[in-house]
Amino acid sequence: MEETPALPADHRELISDLSGIVNDYPSADPESTLAVLADDAAEALGREATPEGRRERTGYTILLHATCWYISARVFSKSLFASYIQALDGFRAQWDRASCACPAGAHPTQLDSEYQVEAGVSMLTAAGRAAFAEDYGLDEEESAVFDCEGFLADLADEALGRLHEARQELFGDLDVSHLDARFVRDGGRLDLVAMQEAISRSWENNTGPVALWSARRWLTGQVRDEERIGLFLCLWMGIAQTYEGLPPSYARDLAAALATIDLDVSCEHPQHPWSTADSTVQSRYRAVVHLYAPDDHPDTPVPVELSARELWECPVQYAQLAREAWKDLEGWRTMRGGDDEDWEG
């Protein structure tokens, strides 16, 4: 009786771990799991002339492609990006797309990430390939497509393109100067109402760019005295209302702006205006726009007795806001991973 092909136990475990990651419900630590995957792929590059190596380059390319989207969106680690790019560049250099002899439409397209994980792990070994072909009813020709150099080159190019783009978004020097035209009026006056309106439209992904623009404006000192608390609150709200965290490309300037605030201060005020605004986007919005355009926005959560400029500008209020923002930034680092140098420069 012919024995049914089966995956090794460690490969079944790898499928489980990687499937959890690509489905965004990881059971294993994503950063360390994906770092091991990239290292294993790099080691396979040295075995390219062997049958084992040829199987592995197919499997690892599929796996690196399947998981690169998670790295791009969830992991803030320069070293992991570098490992993935190095491995994919190594595999890509081995392939000649022109060697593809597959008929039109033979290459799998729009592959589900979980299916890619199973296919990639299965391609690593002869037993895994046999089991995969049996499970999915693939004939010899359909199975051979996975080893096509044109197919693998397409996967590598797509993954490399996404990784390079994401690396710039996460760690590069982002340009938000286009917001000058939206938020700076004649004479250099800041349109804080327009900034608040932009932050409140979170579905347009405005929060991070407005926070970064505010931080850079704060650091240049291009702000009138009466605009300081409004600009700082735009910065603060951009941090507080980014619930999934902003990457290092944002956090570096946000941290630099927060570092300008003296935390060792005291006052005799029993309460400050910002403490009366509920932790909702709408309540915060109403507080700030009333402060800068009370005739147009008369509704505010801040009671009259706490609306004095002296209270708004109290150094203790700035310190309280800065402490809360620092906690959020530290939370992002814990949540997203990466090394200290990834976040600091």
Side-chain angles (χ1 to χ4, degrees), residues 299-318:
D299 186 22
T300 174
V302 180
V304 174
E305 63 272 18
L306 291 175
S307 62
R309 275 287 179 170
E310 175 190 2
L311 293 174
W312 276 108
E313 296 289 349
C314 178
V316 171
Q317 178 166 252
Y318 280 95

Side-chain angles (χ1 to χ4, degrees), residues 112 114-119 122-123 128-139 142-143 146:
D112 174 82
E114 193 169 8
Y115 175 82
Q116 282 193 69
V117 163
E118 186 178 355
S122 299
M123 294 296 124
R129 286 168 174 249
F132 186 78
E134 182 172 299
D135 287 345
Y136 285 93
L138 304 179
D139 60 27
E142 291 171 323
S143 295
F146 287 100

Side-chain angles (χ1 to χ4, degrees), residues 258-280:
L258 293 176
T260 66
I261 302 301
D262 185 359
L263 303 181
D264 187 20
V265 291
S266 62
C267 72
E268 297 181 354
H269 303 139
Q271 193 174 14
H272 297 94
W274 195 244
S275 64
T276 64
D278 296 333
S279 59
T280 63

Side-chain angles (χ1 to χ4, degrees), residues 32-56:
S32 60
T33 301
L34 298 177
V36 169
L37 176 66
D39 289 344
D40 289 345
E43 287 182 14
L45 285 168
R47 298 188 287 270
E48 62 180 285
T50 67
E52 177 189 18
R54 287 191 289 273
R55 287 192 295 267
E56 288 178 333

Side-chain angles (χ1 to χ4, degrees), residues 1-295:
M1 182 176 178
E2 187 175 343
E3 186 176 348
T4 303
L7 280 170
D10 59 332
H11 282 193
R12 292 196 300 271
E13 182 179 358
L14 180 59
I15 289 176
S16 176
D17 289 345
L18 294 179
S19 293
I21 289 172
V22 299
N23 285 319
D24 216 5
Y25 288 99
S27 56
D29 177 65
E31 189 171 343
S32 60
T33 301
L34 298 177
V36 169
L37 176 66
D39 289 344
D40 289 345
E43 287 182 14
L45 285 168
R47 298 188 287 270
E48 62 180 285
T50 67
E52 177 189 18
R54 287 191 289 273
R55 287 192 295 267
E56 288 178 333
R57 72 177 186 176
T58 294
Y60 283 123
T61 299
I62 295 171
L63 290 174
L64 294 175
H65 177 272
T67 54
C68 77
W69 312 102
Y70 184 91
I71 292 176
S72 299
R74 293 285 186 263
V75 182
F76 299 164
S77 169
K78 286 182 182 178
S79 62
L80 188 52
F81 271 81
S83 295
Y84 260 61
I85 290 171
Q86 181 179 13
L88 284 163
D89 278 338
F91 288 131
R92 183 65 183 86
Q94 298 176 8
W95 299 316
D96 176 13
R97 182 180 275 107
S99 69
C100 171
C102 299
H107 294 170
T109 58
Q110 297 180 334
L111 295 174
D112 174 82
S113 293
E114 193 169 8
Y115 175 82
Q116 282 193 69
V117 163
E118 186 178 355
V121 174
S122 299
M123 294 296 124
L124 296 173
T125 62
R129 286 168 174 249
F132 186 78
E134 182 172 299
D135 287 345
Y136 285 93
L138 304 179
D139 60 27
E140 186 174 343
E141 185 176 297
E142 291 171 323
S143 295
V145 170
F146 287 100
D147 292 310
C148 171
E149 293 192 13
F151 169 63
L152 294 171
D154 286 343
L155 290 185
D157 286 344
E158 185 175 20
L160 284 166
R162 178 61 192 133
L163 289 166
H164 283 296
E165 180 183 355
R167 184 170 62 176
Q168 173 62 25
E169 293 172 354
L170 298 180
F171 306 107
D173 185 15
L174 300 182
D175 183 7
V176 291
S177 61
H178 63 281
L179 295 178
D180 291 357
R182 293 178 59 185
F183 301 148
V184 183
R185 297 296 176 252
D186 295 341
R189 178 177 58 85
L190 300 186
D191 190 340
L192 288 151
V193 172
M195 294 171 69
Q196 282 294 307
E197 290 173 347
I199 291 175
S200 67
R201 296 194 299 273
S202 57
W203 59 88
E204 296 180 1
N205 296 318
N206 287 324
T207 311
V210 174
L212 180 59
W213 188 90
S214 300
R216 290 178 177 171
R217 191 79 182 186
W218 180 272
L219 290 167
T220 65
Q222 294 178 288
V223 52
R224 292 172 167 80
D225 287 346
E226 65 271 17
E227 296 168 340
R228 282 177 55 81
I229 186 59
L231 182 64
F232 193 76
L233 286 173
C234 288
L235 159 64
W236 185 90
M237 290 165 71
I239 295 173
Q241 292 166 197
T242 305
Y243 305 111
E244 294 185 354
L246 290 168
S249 54
Y250 289 85
R252 289 191 299 266
D253 286 337
L254 299 178
L258 293 176
T260 66
I261 302 301
D262 185 359
L263 303 181
D264 187 20
V265 291
S266 62
C267 72
E268 297 181 354
H269 303 139
Q271 193 174 14
H272 297 94
W274 195 244
S275 64
T276 64
D278 296 333
S279 59
T280 63
V281 175
Q282 187 59 31
S283 180
R284 292 165 175 168
Y285 168 83
R286 289 189 292 112
V288 179
V289 297
H290 174 80
L291 182 62
Y292 286 95
D295 293 337

